[in-house]
Amino acid sequence: MAANAQTIETVENLAGEYKYGFVTDIESEILPKGLSEDTVRFISAKKGEPQWMLDWRLKAYRAWLRMAEEKGEPAWAKVSYPKIDFQDIHYYSAPKKKNLKSLDEVDPELLATYEKLGIPLKEREILAGVAVDAVFDSVSVATTFKEKLKDLGIIFCSMSEAVREHPDLVQKYLGSVVPITDNFYATLNSAVFSDGSFVYVPPGVRCPMELSTYFRINEAKTGQFERTLIICDKGAYVSYLEGCTAPMRDENQLHAAVVELVCMEDAEIRYATVQNWYPGDKEGRGGIYNFVTKRGACRGARSKISWTQVETGSAITWKYPSVILQGDDSVGEFYSVAVANNAQQADTGTKMIHLGRNTKSTIISKGISAGKAQNTYRGLVRVMPGAAGARNYSQCDSLLIGDRCGGHTVPYIEVKNRSAKVEHEATTSRISDDQLFYCRQRGLSEEDAVSTIVNGFCKEVLQKLPMEFAVEAQKLLGVSLEGSVG
Amino acid sequence: MLEIKNLHAKVDGKEILHGIDLVIKPGEIHAVMGPNGSGKSTLSYVLAGRDGYEVTEGDILLNGQSLLSMEPEERAREGVFLAFQYPVEIPGVANATFLRSAVNAVRKHKGLADMDAMTFLKTAKAKMKQLQMDEKFLQRAVNVGFSGGEKKRNEVFQMLMLEPSLMILDETDSGLDIDALKVVAEGVNALRSPERSALVITHYQRLLDYIVPDVVHVLARGRIIKTGGKDLALELEAKGYADIVADAA
Ligand SMILES: Nc1ncnc2c1ncn2[C@@H]1O[C@H](COP(=O)(O)OP(=O)(O)OP(=O)(O)O)[C@@H](O)[C@H]1O
Ligand SMILES: [Mg+2]
């Protein structure tokens, strides 16, 4: 119908102007482009790493070389992009000043950058009760609130620091959830990871504040490879927030992170992401390739891991936060909103692997597609023979805006225990002209109407986010769909 | 207040309204009656500016200003309110959230500050009481799972909150039980004022016992074929449309 076409046009013209697309003028130390054993050694030396860490990296690098030779990049996802030249990327970039003891020593330009991003590190430290670790290009620049956390025995620091200060913990857990050779990008990450956040919450401690990391890619032609490791010991609890942005650039940039979560008996980890990497322009020029491996292990009985993600950015998203449910009665949750507008491609979902008895998993996925975007939910629910009484509930809803985009649902279900119960529901809907007109008749602008309807569609997921993050996510949804509704 | 002049309108390339003339003065209530498919809802959509409803001739003036070049939201902010014949469901969006956005969009247009959450809630609850609506409807998703009558009542609730200057009610009485009809009519009457006008589309003269119109029009096949006073409704109720339509043809 005519009205529909008009709506689509309006939406397209609204092609979201990316508000975080500025570049910070700051002196950086950049390693020349290219990847070799020397690159790996350089990064390791730069960070003053012990031999075991270097050996670990080199093992990963050699494994990656074999993978690259044998199979190359994974090709099964529903995304397409030109072959990545892994020699045409900088593997290390850091703002020049280092070894900061407090925020006062941080380059004011850098603080101003985070300010612009809506992350006033200094104020946060004092007011918000959110401890922030900020990763700028490759290095972690500031971890706030460290002292207060230390009193409780909680370790929250950059990965580099953890390697130096807490080698026992790092050695014990690093790669224990995502092994070195897990997949092409994870292996690459293991070889060249630059920094990231490390969290350890000791037995019985409830972390009193949200822990938060902001990732920012600033330099051109720079890959970002963070490594995050969170360990929640028996009966402990932590809620962790991750946000990401990058400047607007014409070329694509690679982001290949690895996040590992380890959850012991009766412990709980909540991990929330609001990802707003630069998505590229309307024609699909530029943008971040977001190839991320996130996995959590519910090791202990009654442990619980929940992933909540709002993904609005990136040119390509390839991401499947997963939970391995080892402990009896452990619980895995995945709540996701993935938006793809214009030429964005998203292939995202989750894996729930049930090993323990009476393990439970819930998957709520909301995919929103507009423009020419392709949005795929790919999820695996696997119930192993020992997982008696396992239960899964999956609900995958797609919302389409316009008729040139695609929403796809690819559920894989493997059940090897007959007492297991697995339910899967999927729906596809469109924003109707009726809904838009109804909203506009009440005085809402077309953009507000779209944003209202989309927020309603995502409600079950947004509700799972901590309050201030939810507000941010709602705004982001509005911005990323500006001009796209009809 | 509202002047409709020789209005012709097309939907999907097909002309549905063939030249409508209608003037509603400030404070007046006009009823529009007519057979199914005669163009009543089409007229209401055209007044509200729905996409796809193309005006091919004529004009619509609200307080002397043409509405034709205005977007639906601009008309709404100027005070045009349409109570839908089929209210639309918006899953996941709380009625309160939705309505507060609407109220504030209109206030902003008038140069007023946003209504804060507390004031909004207080006002909303008072209006709901007036309409004998349960407060739990504030937290329910807009029209989702509402019964037919509840949806209609919700339309009137929104209207009371937005205080429009032109109220268009498209069969708001259909689906209401007798008691609800009275409550809703009282709601509309409460808004009646010398500055406010209304266009009430209905099939039943019963509604007009409660909302007493100044003028009654009969719309058939895209034209107004007869205009009269309140008694015209009674006559239609008794005799049906056949005679009038035949006379006009
Ligand atoms: N999109 C469309 N394409 C073609 N014809 C349409 C379209 N929309 C409406 N019409 C036609 O226009 C005519 C008027 O419809 P309208 O809904 O305005 O009638 P109405 O007077 O409100 O009827 P009712 O009393 O049943 O509500 C009908 O014949 C209808 O089928
Ligand atoms: Mg009708």
Side-chain angles (χ1 to χ4, degrees):
Chain A
M1 179 166 156
N4 231 328
Q6 200 176 336
T7 316
I8 294 163
E9 200 180 311
T10 322
V11 176
E12 276 175 4
N13 293 339
L14 287 173
E17 293 208 357
Y18 187 72
K19 137 173 161 220
Y20 306 101
F22 56 87
V23 178
T24 305
D25 187 12
I26 199 164
E27 247 197 298
S28 296
E29 186 173 15
I30 305 176
L31 185 66
K33 284 178 192 169
L35 179 57
S36 68
E37 263 195 38
D38 289 342
T39 320
V40 177
R41 286 176 194 281
F42 174 90
I43 294 169
S44 186
K46 201 75 213 162
K47 300 186 163 297
E49 286 177 356
Q51 187 64 36
W52 61 264
M53 192 71 250
L54 174 63
D55 291 345
W56 198 84
R57 286 176 180 275
L58 287 172
K59 197 169 139 198
Y61 176 67
R62 287 167 199 146
W64 182 78
L65 277 184
R66 277 195 305 278
M67 287 174 157
E69 232 165 72
E70 282 161 21
K71 287 221 287 251
E73 296 166 58
W76 43 263
K78 196 175 166 52
V79 295
S80 59
Y81 54 94
K83 231 177 135 41
I84 299 173
D85 180 356
F86 288 94
Q87 298 302 335
D88 193 35
I89 294 171
H90 295 285
Y91 286 86
Y92 185 84
S93 156
K96 245 182 184 159
K97 229 170 163 188
K98 340 174 283 185
N99 286 332
L100 307 157
K101 288 206 189 58
S102 81
L103 278 179
D104 296 331
E105 295 174 42
V106 175
D107 188 321
E109 277 274 345
L110 199 61
L111 282 182
T113 300
Y114 282 102
E115 205 81 48
K116 253 197 249 183
L117 295 171
I119 315 157
L121 294 177
K122 293 201 87 159
E123 276 96 290
R124 286 245 170 148
E125 180 172 34
I126 301 153
L127 300 172
V130 176
V132 182
D133 184 24
V135 176
F136 192 82
D137 285 338
S138 303
V139 293
S140 176
V141 289
T143 304
T144 61
F145 258 124
K146 222 185 219 165
E147 289 307 311
K148 191 164 174 203
L149 294 169
K150 212 165 141 190
D151 292 343
L152 292 162
I154 297 169
I155 304 168
F156 178 38
C157 63
S158 72
M159 194 55 142
S160 314
E161 190 180 331
V163 169
R164 290 191 306 267
E165 312 281 326
H166 310 282
D168 43 334
L169 285 171
V170 176
Q171 255 181 302
K172 185 165 171 195
Y173 293 109
L174 189 72
S176 75
V177 187
V178 179
I180 287 182
T181 53
D182 189 80
N183 70 73
F184 188 82
Y185 303 112
T187 306
L188 177 62
N189 173 288
S190 302
V192 300
F193 74 83
S194 34
D195 216 333
S197 298
F198 176 85
V199 177
Y200 173 78
V201 188
V205 173
R206 226 188 130 78
C207 185
M209 61 188 77
E210 313 275 354
L211 300 184
S212 161
T213 299
Y214 270 83
F215 293 109
R216 167 105 183 136
I217 299 179
N218 189 55
E219 285 301 328
K221 290 254 169 193
T222 304
Q224 181 148 337
F225 306 92
E226 334 86 38
R227 185 102 198 178
T228 295
L229 176 58
I230 300 176
I231 303 139
C232 223
D233 220 321
K234 286 182 188 170
Y237 166 87
V238 69
S239 165
Y240 187 88
L241 316 174
E242 173 199 80
C244 337
T245 59
M248 267 151 67
R249 297 191 185 280
D250 286 342
E251 79 269 19
N252 296 103
Q253 284 176 285
L254 178 63
H255 174 251
V258 173
V259 176
E260 295 178 278
L261 311 181
V262 180
C263 211
M264 303 308 197
E265 226 170 270
D266 296 303
E268 177 174 355
I269 301 178
R270 291 168 178 251
Y271 193 106
T273 305
V274 173
Q275 183 265 112
N276 183 30
W277 297 117
Y278 177 52
D281 68 10
K282 243 174 109 173
E283 273 72 48
R285 270 187 306 262
I288 301 290
Y289 290 166
N290 193 30
F291 300 148
V292 170
T293 304
K294 291 186 165 175
R295 193 175 304 153
C298 281
R299 295 251 158 98
R302 296 168 304 279
S303 56
K304 180 174 175 186
I305 289 179
S306 96
W307 297 102
T308 306
Q309 57 172 26
V310 175
E311 305 269 331
T312 62
S314 294
I316 301 178
T317 299
W318 180 99
K319 181 180 168 187
Y320 315 89
S322 309
V323 184
I324 301 169
L325 297 146
Q326 285 166 284
D328 290 348
D329 301 295
S330 59
V331 175
E333 293 176 341
F334 175 74
Y335 296 96
S336 166
V337 171
V339 177
N341 194 4
N342 299 314
Q344 281 177 275
Q345 309 174 57
D347 195 302
T348 180
T350 184
K351 285 187 243 174
M352 294 290 174
I353 314 293
H354 293 257
L355 296 166
R357 300 166 66 87
N358 300 318
T359 44
K360 250 203 323 217
S361 62
T362 304
I363 298 171
I364 308 283
S365 159
K366 305 278 180 177
I368 300 151
S369 324
K372 296 177 286 179
Q374 294 297 325
N375 202 336
T376 302
Y377 167 82
R378 189 183 301 279
L380 168 68
V381 177
R382 178 180 287 153
V383 179
M384 301 305 275
R391 291 179 59 180
N392 162 268
Y393 174 73
S394 304
Q395 183 191 324
C396 303
D397 300 322
S398 301
L399 185 68
L400 305 178
I401 302 170
D403 52 12
R404 287 180 306 147
C405 54
H408 317 275
T409 301
V410 191
Y412 304 90
I413 299 171
E414 300 171 17
V415 180
K416 294 182 183 139
N417 184 303
R418 300 190 59 177
S419 64
K421 253 201 223 146
V422 175
E423 281 175 83
H424 179 92
E425 285 175 28
T427 66
T428 300
S429 52
R430 271 172 209 282
I431 291 192
S432 70
D433 287 347
D434 281 346
Q435 288 174 321
L436 278 179
F437 175 58
Y438 190 70
C439 293
R440 295 175 75 190
Q441 210 303 303
R442 296 299 182 251
L444 272 59
S445 67
E446 185 156 37
E447 280 118 82
D448 288 346
V450 170
S451 151
T452 298
I453 296 165
V454 167
N455 276 309
F457 173 74
C458 302
K459 187 179 165 210
E460 291 147 285
V461 176
L462 296 176
Q463 274 175 341
K464 294 285 165 184
L465 289 171
M467 187 60 173
E468 55 170 279
F469 234 38
V471 173
E472 189 178 330
Q474 273 182 20
K475 279 193 223 140
L476 262 183
L477 284 176
V479 171
S480 60
L481 284 169
E482 240 160 58
S484 74
V485 174
Chain B
M1 157 99 233
L2 180 74
E3 271 180 90
I4 303 174
K5 294 186 197 163
N6 187 31
L7 184 69
H8 291 252
K10 270 190 194 169
V11 185
D12 274 350
K14 184 182 159 206
E15 188 167 289
I16 309 280
L17 302 181
H18 310 291
I20 294 203
D21 289 283
L22 187 67
V23 177
I24 307 182
K25 297 208 192 86
E28 282 184 354
I29 291 190
H30 288 218
V32 173
M33 305 181 80
N36 293 131
S38 56
K40 302 182 298 295
S41 293
T42 303
L43 175 62
S44 72
Y45 286 150
V46 171
L47 292 175
R50 182 166 189 159
D51 284 345
Y53 287 74
E54 189 195 348
V55 173
T56 49
E57 222 185 305
D59 205 351
I60 306 166
L61 304 177
L62 183 67
N63 299 322
Q65 191 185 4
S66 173
L67 292 181
L68 293 188
S69 62
M70 291 190 196
E71 295 293 338
E73 59 269 34
E74 294 173 293
R75 301 184 194 199
R77 294 169 195 166
E78 285 290 334
V80 176
F81 182 97
L82 170 59
F84 284 58
Q85 182 174 2
Y86 305 106
V88 180
E89 301 184 358
I90 310 178
V93 179
N95 223 4
T97 312
F98 176 71
L99 192 49
R100 198 169 150 226
S101 310
V103 166
N104 285 333
V106 173
R107 288 177 66 90
K108 191 172 171 196
H109 180 73
K110 290 183 181 156
L112 297 170
D114 274 6
M115 188 184 272
D116 63 75
M118 290 299 284
T119 316
F120 173 81
L121 221 59
K122 233 177 78 191
T123 319
K125 285 181 177 171
K127 306 280 183 198
M128 292 181 107
K129 202 166 167 198
Q130 198 179 335
L131 292 171
Q132 297 175 20
M133 251 174 109
D134 196 310
E135 285 175 12
K136 69 173 190 265
F137 282 100
L138 279 175
Q139 290 323 314
R140 282 180 61 176
V142 180
N143 294 323
V144 177
F146 288 24
S147 76
E150 287 165 351
K151 283 183 181 169
K152 295 300 177 74
R153 218 184 273 226
N154 195 37
E155 293 291 285
V156 177
F157 168 50
Q158 295 182 19
M159 191 166 82
L160 291 188
M161 289 298 291
L162 289 165
E163 303 185 322
S165 51
L166 175 66
M167 314 183 268
I168 307 167
L169 289 93
D170 191 356
E171 296 196 26
T172 303
D173 52 333
S174 324
L176 290 181
D177 62 45
I178 288 284
D179 297 333
L181 183 73
K182 276 189 211 161
V183 172
V184 163
E186 276 163 26
V188 175
N189 286 332
L191 279 180
R192 220 170 163 160
S193 83
E195 307 84 51
R196 211 168 260 139
S197 312
L199 187 71
V200 179
I201 298 169
T202 181
H203 285 295
Y204 307 105
Q205 106 81 24
R206 197 186 55 195
L207 175 71
L208 305 180
D209 285 342
Y210 301 105
I211 304 174
V212 183
D214 300 290
V215 183
V216 176
H217 306 276
V218 178
L219 186 69
R221 298 200 189 108
R223 287 192 180 84
I224 289 179
I225 55 166
K226 190 161 184 173
T227 294
K230 179 176 165 296
D231 296 341
L232 180 54
L234 286 169
E235 188 188 328
L236 290 170
E237 182 104 329
K239 295 196 209 149
Y241 294 109
D243 288 354
I244 302 180
V245 174
D247 283 354

